[in-house]
Amino acid sequence: MSDRFDEDDWGQPLEELLKVLDLERIEVNIFRGNSPAEGPQRLFGGLVAGQALVAAGRTVPAERYVHSLHAYFIRPGDPSVPIVYDVDRVRDGRSFTTRRVSAIQHGKPIFTLSASFHKEEPGLDHQVPMPDVPPPEELPSTRERLRAAFGKVPGFVRWHPIETRPAGPLSYEVERDPSLRTFTNPVWLKVDGKLPDDRLTQVCLMTYASDLTLLDTVLLRHGRSFAEISMASLDHAMWFHRPFRADEWLLYAQETVSAQGARGLARGMVYTRDGQLVCSVVQEGLIRVVDEEHRQADGS
């Protein structure tokens, strides 16, 4: 990505992201998506998940809303070529609709997603209360904290159109001060711009954003930096409980529950400002410690 990206252009990445989420339909159940023209060197998992959910949603009646998704990251993606999304219409029931999506590049699946859609109906209602954290207006953004510490903002943090305001430490801060190590990672986030009103767009942007900080929570527990870690998403699951807007502040209350065998597990709950639990997330990732010998062998 070019280093010429300027913070004054923060609105532009949202336009680009919405453009790449607007998939091209090339057959009844087949869609094609691209990566942003300007963006990270690697294909971001949250983007693939968001596009796959768009593909699934476009084969489902408008009155049925996604309530859960389960995804597996199979192979690294190639941001230089389009992704073909093949939708399998598994089931169309009276209340539920199920779709399975395969994302394909170079003739091989790189990602699979199963999503379930539900026609809304009345029922019991309860939730876990939102944790008590400072409001977003009292917190600096991740971009501001990184710029203050390093004099610049890393490329991917600059590019993505999600503003994040952590209520706890960042990984580089925990690396410098082990007393800050924590199991939790509460982060306020919102899309930096105005989104269309339809619920599928809101959910797809939250799916994208949910992959940004969740595995970082594992690093916060161990005081590790990204320079020491090789990290990749393995699987990702989400449950959508109530309507929300991704362009309004949401609290992503994250925690890590386990790390072992080069894998780490983290989960999160997403709340609106008024305390409504709207989404739950669980992700397992590959988290390998890269020792100095391997870094030198890789030329890094």
Side-chain angles (χ1 to χ4, degrees):
M1 171 182 168
S2 169
D3 286 329
R4 291 160 46 186
F5 184 91
D6 191 270
E7 291 177 3
D8 292 336
D9 297 328
W10 282 0
Q12 184 178 350
L14 178 57
E15 296 176 12
E16 181 73 6
L17 180 57
L18 290 175
K19 180 180 177 182
V20 298
L21 286 174
D22 186 16
L23 303 180
E24 176 190 3
R25 192 169 207 150
I26 58 178
E27 245 295 348
V28 175
N29 297 318
I30 301 175
F31 301 81
R32 179 162 49 207
N34 294 293
S35 298
E38 296 254 351
Q41 297 294 319
R42 297 175 59 186
L43 191 57
F44 176 52
L47 175 63
V48 182
Q51 287 183 329
L53 187 55
V54 169
R58 289 188 176 177
T59 69
V60 174
E63 70 275 8
R64 298 193 179 195
Y65 303 105
V66 61
H67 71 91
S68 70
L69 65 84
H70 299 261
Y72 284 92
F73 298 87
I74 301 171
R75 293 180 175 88
D78 181 353
S80 68
V81 300
I83 308 171
V84 173
Y85 294 94
D86 187 359
V87 181
D88 180 9
R89 302 188 183 219
V90 178
R91 179 175 183 266
D92 291 290
R94 288 183 298 176
S95 299
F96 289 89
T97 297
T98 306
R99 295 291 184 261
R100 185 183 300 117
V101 184
S102 296
I104 301 167
Q105 283 186 321
H106 303 295
K108 297 180 180 179
I110 64 168
F111 172 89
T112 63
L113 174 142
S114 293
S116 181
F117 298 75
H118 183 208
K119 183 178 180 179
E120 290 187 331
E121 54 186 290
L124 303 177
D125 195 329
H126 77 273
Q127 66 166 64
V128 175
M130 182 172 72
D132 186 16
V133 301
E137 291 80 11
E138 296 181 7
L139 299 169
S141 70
T142 301
R143 294 179 177 114
E144 291 168 337
R145 289 169 68 172
L146 290 172
R147 183 172 292 281
F150 301 108
K152 64 178 182 178
V153 181
F156 183 59
V157 177
R158 280 203 314 259
W159 178 84
H160 69 67
I162 310 296
E163 183 176 358
T164 56
R165 297 191 179 188
L170 299 178
S171 59
Y172 77 87
E173 296 168 332
V174 178
E175 182 187 22
R176 295 174 178 178
D177 183 356
S179 70
L180 297 175
R181 292 184 182 184
T182 176
F183 284 96
T184 63
N185 183 23
V187 176
W188 288 101
L189 58 80
K190 72 178 182 71
V191 172
D192 190 21
K194 184 70 173 175
L195 291 176
D197 290 335
D198 70 280
R199 282 174 62 170
L200 182 61
T201 298
Q202 307 294 329
V203 167
C204 288
L205 266 294
M206 186 61 237
T207 301
Y208 175 94
S210 69
D211 193 31
L212 289 173
T213 57
L214 195 52
L215 288 183
D216 297 359
T217 312
V218 179
L219 304 189
L220 292 175
R221 175 59 192 148
H222 294 272
R224 294 286 188 170
S225 72
F226 289 100
E228 302 175 285
I229 296 294
S230 174
M231 190 161 65
S233 301
L234 294 174
D235 61 2
H236 196 84
M238 301 182 72
W239 295 264
F240 302 97
H241 312 303
R242 298 170 178 86
F244 62 90
R245 292 197 63 91
D247 53 6
E248 297 177 355
W249 285 115
L250 299 167
L251 178 64
Y252 196 8
Q254 304 157 98
E255 64 176 350
T256 180
V257 296
S258 177
Q260 80 298 316
R263 301 190 314 276
L265 186 72
R267 62 190 180 193
M269 294 185 289
V270 182
Y271 294 87
T272 61
R273 290 197 63 152
D274 62 0
Q276 288 288 304
L277 177 63
V278 297
C279 178
S280 298
V281 189
V282 178
Q283 185 178 71
E284 186 176 47
L286 176 69
I287 301 179
R288 289 184 176 135
V289 178
V290 182
D291 59 32
E292 185 63 32
E293 179 180 345
H294 285 134
R295 287 201 297 270
Q296 291 176 354
D298 292 340
S300 56

